[in-house]
Amino acid sequence: MRQRKKLGQAFTVTGVAVALLAGGSPGAQAAPTSPAATGPQEHALTLVTGDHVLVREVGGKQVASVAPRAGSSDGFVTQQIGGDLYVIPATALPYLGRSLDRSLFDVSALIRDGLTQPPIKVTGGTAPAPGPEFGAALARQAGADAARHFTGDGLLFGGVSKVALDAPGEPQPATPNFPMNTVKIAAVDQAGKPTSASLGVINVDDSRQFGGFPSAVNGEARISVPAGNYSLVAVFPEIDPNGKVTALRLVTSDFSITGDTSVAVDARKATSKITVDTPRPSTQTSITLGYQRLDARKSGSLGLGYGGGTAQTYVAPSTPSQFGESHFNLQTHSESPAGTADPYSYDLKLDNAGAIAANQHYRVTADQLATVKAAYYSDKPARQEGLSRIMFLPYEQFGFGVFEHLTAPLRRTEYVGGSADLLYAEALLSNYATFTGIASGDRTRYQPRSSTPVDWLRGPLAPGLVSPADPTGPWVCSACRKDDTLLLALAPVVDSAGHSMYLDAPGADTVSTSRFQLLSGDKTVADLKDVTGGQIAVPAEQANYKIVYDQTRTAPWFHQSTVSHSEWTFGSAHSGSTGVPANWRCGADGKPDHCSALPLVTANYQLDAGLDGTKAAGPDQVVVTFGHAPGTQNLPIARASIEVSFDGGAHWTPTYFADLGNGRFRAQWTNPASATGGDVALRVSATDAGGNTLTQSVTGALTVPAA
């Protein structure tokens, strides 16, 4: 299901309902499930600091996007340790291992355990910490100095594979099967004084022997490791008295261990300042640095990086690695000067393969870039939104980014690229202030010198099914049958470009309700509330089925597409063979064996409305493209109809209808003067050559504005 479920201050969204909810039909059964089988995982949650994090999977890669709390700029640490993801304010680094426990920021545990809010953990004890009172609680337990610094900007992130770590600040043994050596790591700042730093250490002969993220506390960290060759990366943030990260320095070092020893890491070696020139004038608003170190086997790696804000960034030049491989990259976001009539932006990803170059001045040219003609639709004026665009180089498996502010409705030219063979993962935060209305799509690619139009939240916004960008790539089937289990996972909201959005958590001013029914003849197979599907056992014999899905969604940040009714009919029988690509996941075991796609009909809408979702009284039209669920044959559409209503669906008016071919139909009508100041509802229906059908109505599909 792609419906947000509230876990206190954590929200979980999964691809398929885990089981029938209480109150389902007595005759309904649900197959057992597991996270691997339930579809792309999306988790939107709130940290105890009040900062928001979206964690999701895109094409087999993990993506984390952050929206800082009100009053803060981009200030977090994210690391992947032992399979868990941690998101930590960068200004907390001096206190990790000293007065703050890293587990305070373990978002994986928050998601896994469904905690309403994790406790603050400090040396010597724990205490509950309601989000709004975080600063006060932290001051009581960890000292006022620590609490004051949770207002800065800058983010650290990292990943390590196949490692288990002990508590930060303590010697960290890799395994008892090797003679161990104690390594003291001394960290000094730009003034040559002992300082706190975030460290990453990996055995580059074999990362299974050691890899982890110790913290330098008061200028020192200790680790226990076997003999061998090692690589170290250190990030030194410089934080002003107001808790703002003003500068950041990244230093790397390779060293060998034959016995107990000391290693120094010196921020003063980071002398190369990073600067980026764009073809048109622009102002940089954020930067992300990424460093990845692979061992000699190239099957284990450690990554550490920094991202956020306008801090000055410096790196220490390095030489090519003797053992394994190293990669250094940066991503920047910049925007056109304030007041530019036709606004534009740049999202750039630049790579240093093998070593960190001494010259860190980058001059990007037009032929390195693709052009995205972006349109951000909003039926509310001046809606504060945020776009996260994470760019992957071929060797990257984890991506991090921040939601960059924008004001919708908006048309903007967005220049993207800078390196070859980039993969993009994008998400839109439709209501920045409350971290609600999150829309996202599958991975995509933009080729240099190409131009691509991309619409966000172009209505009507209706339930449906989304398709993978690569039909044979990693994907969790959302309309399939595996043996005698139907696997159904509707996307509750889909826009014209195929971006999907889950429902917001219900609240005082937000309504999010839905009902999912699966019928067969006169039998109710499943009747579920507030989910968008399930794994449902059915008889082996051929039978006809109907899905009925009703949804109501209202909130202050949008006006249109508030009520929808959708019905799908299709036939299905036992699936004993594999009909989906080998990279797809189906069912409880996550394997494609015996999995076949279901022939559900889909609809894509292209309304002729403005960016604000309005169309004046007079001639109007919509183009609807009917298709099918991914993985199934795209049968011809035998017949279709499109109707409009000017009284909320009480009466429906046929439209002038034209078949454009290949499942595309254009409907034209006139919005009467009497509809001024009101909304227009839309109803479509289609039947394919196999007899599968779709009927869907959307209330408030567009608005006829007042004169």
Side-chain angles (χ1 to χ4, degrees):
M1 67 185 174
R2 285 181 55 86
Q3 178 137 332
R4 178 179 283 187
K5 298 184 71 179
K6 187 169 183 180
L7 305 175
Q9 287 199 354
F11 301 92
T12 302
V13 183
T14 57
V16 177
V18 172
L20 297 183
L21 299 183
S25 166
Q29 299 178 8
T33 188
S34 67
T38 58
Q41 299 287 311
E42 292 189 358
H43 305 285
L45 57 113
T46 302
L47 300 178
V48 293
T49 55
D51 302 298
H52 304 292
V53 187
L54 174 68
V55 181
R56 61 193 183 101
E57 178 189 317
V58 180
K61 300 177 185 291
Q62 189 178 39
V63 176
S65 303
V66 180
R69 65 197 179 279
S72 171
S73 47
D74 321 325
F76 311 85
V77 174
T78 72
Q79 298 176 338
Q80 286 182 296
I81 300 174
D84 271 17
L85 173 67
Y86 294 74
V87 178
I88 311 168
T91 43
L93 287 179
Y95 309 100
L96 291 181
R98 185 176 66 184
S99 55
L100 286 178
D101 192 302
R102 189 186 303 269
S103 63
L104 169 64
F105 306 101
D106 187 346
V107 298
S108 296
L110 177 63
I111 293 167
R112 184 171 55 244
D113 300 336
L115 297 178
T116 59
Q117 193 143 21
I120 282 188
K121 290 191 176 182
V122 297
T123 303
T126 65
E133 299 176 1
F134 174 79
L138 185 61
R140 289 194 301 270
Q141 299 184 63
D145 187 49
R148 184 171 63 250
H149 282 79
F150 279 91
T151 57
D153 70 347
L155 228 84
L156 293 174
F157 62 94
V160 60
S161 60
K162 302 177 182 176
V163 240
L165 300 182
D166 286 348
E170 299 177 1
Q172 299 176 3
T175 172
N177 298 325
F178 299 92
M180 306 304 288
N181 306 282
T182 297
V183 180
K184 182 172 71 173
I185 303 172
V188 296
D189 63 15
Q190 188 66 10
K193 298 178 179 180
T195 188
S196 299
S198 179
L199 310 175
V201 182
I202 183 174
N203 183 303
V204 292
D205 301 317
D206 187 339
S207 66
R208 293 172 297 184
Q209 295 188 26
F210 186 83
F213 293 100
S215 295
V217 178
N218 296 326
E220 183 177 304
R222 293 175 181 260
I223 56 176
S224 296
V225 298
N229 296 294
Y230 288 82
S231 184
L232 179 151
V233 57
V235 172
F236 299 87
E238 296 179 16
I239 304 169
D240 70 13
N242 296 318
K244 181 179 177 62
V245 178
T246 57
L248 178 110
R249 301 175 189 276
L250 183 145
V251 179
T252 66
S253 177
D254 290 352
F255 56 94
S256 297
I257 298 297
T258 57
D260 293 350
T261 190
S262 296
V263 176
V265 57
D266 192 337
R268 292 172 294 185
K269 292 184 177 181
T271 56
S272 297
K273 183 179 179 179
I274 296 174
T275 58
V276 179
D277 286 345
T278 54
R280 301 173 68 183
S282 65
T283 301
Q284 184 175 300
T285 61
S286 68
I287 184 169
T288 300
L289 309 184
Y291 178 80
Q292 186 175 32
R293 193 70 164 86
L294 284 75
D295 66 12
R297 301 176 307 116
K298 298 183 181 180
S299 60
S301 67
L302 176 145
L304 181 70
Y306 169 87
T310 56
Q312 300 295 313
T313 50
Y314 303 83
V315 295
S318 67
T319 57
S321 306
Q322 269 190 294
F323 305 94
E325 295 180 0
S326 66
H327 296 272
F328 170 72
N329 63 67
L330 60 133
Q331 180 173 333
T332 63
H333 176 82
S334 58
E335 299 184 358
S336 53
T340 301
D342 297 313
Y344 56 88
S345 65
Y346 288 92
D347 289 290
L348 308 175
K349 184 88 170 194
L350 304 163
D351 193 24
N352 285 211
I356 299 176
N359 182 0
Q360 287 294 319
H361 176 68
Y362 300 87
R363 186 180 298 276
V364 178
T365 59
D367 61 1
Q368 295 176 266
L369 303 174
T371 301
V372 177
K373 294 292 188 180
Y376 298 91
Y377 286 73
S378 173
D379 56 25
K380 290 282 189 175
R383 189 162 69 196
Q384 298 305 298
E385 301 185 346
L387 179 71
S388 169
R389 175 174 285 135
I390 296 173
M391 305 158 73
F392 287 92
L393 289 157
Y395 59 83
E396 292 183 296
Q397 291 299 315
F398 170 75
F400 168 77
V402 296
F403 284 100
E404 302 283 352
H405 283 92
L406 62 91
T407 300
L410 173 68
R411 289 194 189 275
R412 184 170 70 180
T413 301
E414 299 173 350
Y415 303 104
V416 301
S419 298
D421 202 22
L422 289 172
L423 187 69
Y424 297 78
E426 299 168 332
L428 181 72
L429 182 56
S430 304
N431 188 10
Y432 198 102
T434 59
F435 201 62
T436 51
I438 300 173
S440 61
D442 194 22
R443 63 202 184 282
T444 189
R445 295 186 187 275
Y446 301 114
Q447 299 301 326
R449 297 181 297 278
S450 67
S451 181
T452 306
V454 177
D455 293 339
W456 286 94
L457 301 187
R458 181 179 180 181
L461 305 179
L465 296 166
V466 294
S467 298
D470 177 1
T472 63
W475 187 253
V476 177
C477 191
S478 55
C480 278
R481 179 168 180 152
K482 186 180 177 92
D483 293 315
D484 294 321
T485 299
L486 297 183
L487 311 172
L488 298 167
L490 304 175
V493 178
V494 182
D495 71 6
S496 65
H499 303 117
S500 59
M501 181 167 65
Y502 48 76
L503 301 183
D504 295 323
D509 54 4
T510 301
V511 175
S512 294
T513 63
S514 65
R515 182 183 182 187
F516 176 95
Q517 299 176 83
L518 179 67
L519 312 174
S520 183
D522 59 0
K523 179 183 178 182
T524 299
V525 183
D527 191 345
L528 311 176
K529 180 178 173 54
D530 293 334
V531 300
T532 62
Q535 300 189 24
I536 306 169
V538 294
E541 296 77 14
Q542 174 72 34
N544 293 323
Y545 295 93
K546 176 189 282 189
I547 297 170
V548 181
Y549 180 69
D550 289 287
Q551 179 191 106
T552 299
R553 49 182 290 270
T554 63
W557 61 269
F558 63 86
H559 167 74
Q560 298 173 344
S561 301
T562 53
V563 177
S564 64
H565 175 82
S566 307
E567 296 184 5
W568 289 265
T569 68
F570 61 97
S572 178
H574 175 78
S575 176
S577 60
T578 302
V580 298
N583 280 342
W584 283 30
R585 294 184 298 184
C586 298
D589 61 5
K591 298 179 180 179
D593 303 340
H594 297 182
C595 185
S596 302
L598 297 172
L600 270 64
V601 178
T602 61
N604 174 269
Y605 303 91
Q606 296 281 331
L607 273 170
D608 189 26
L611 283 176
D612 60 357
T614 68
K615 187 62 181 286
D620 203 351
Q621 71 171 31
V622 66
V623 174
V624 181
T625 302
F626 295 105
H628 288 80
T632 192
Q633 183 181 0
N634 198 23
L635 297 171
I637 299 300
R639 58 185 179 274
S641 68
I642 302 176
E643 302 167 287
V644 293
S645 173
F646 305 104
D647 57 8
H651 302 88
W652 292 96
T653 302
T655 60
Y656 297 98
F657 199 63
D659 186 344
L660 305 179
N662 297 319
R664 297 178 68 243
F665 297 84
R666 182 178 61 230
Q668 296 177 313
W669 68 92
T670 298
N671 294 324
S674 60
T676 297
D679 296 328
V680 180
L682 187 68
R683 183 167 69 183
V684 305
S685 64
T687 303
D688 70 15
N692 308 296
T693 70
L694 165 67
T695 300
Q696 185 169 75
S697 63
V698 182
T699 300
L702 70 146
T703 300
V704 180

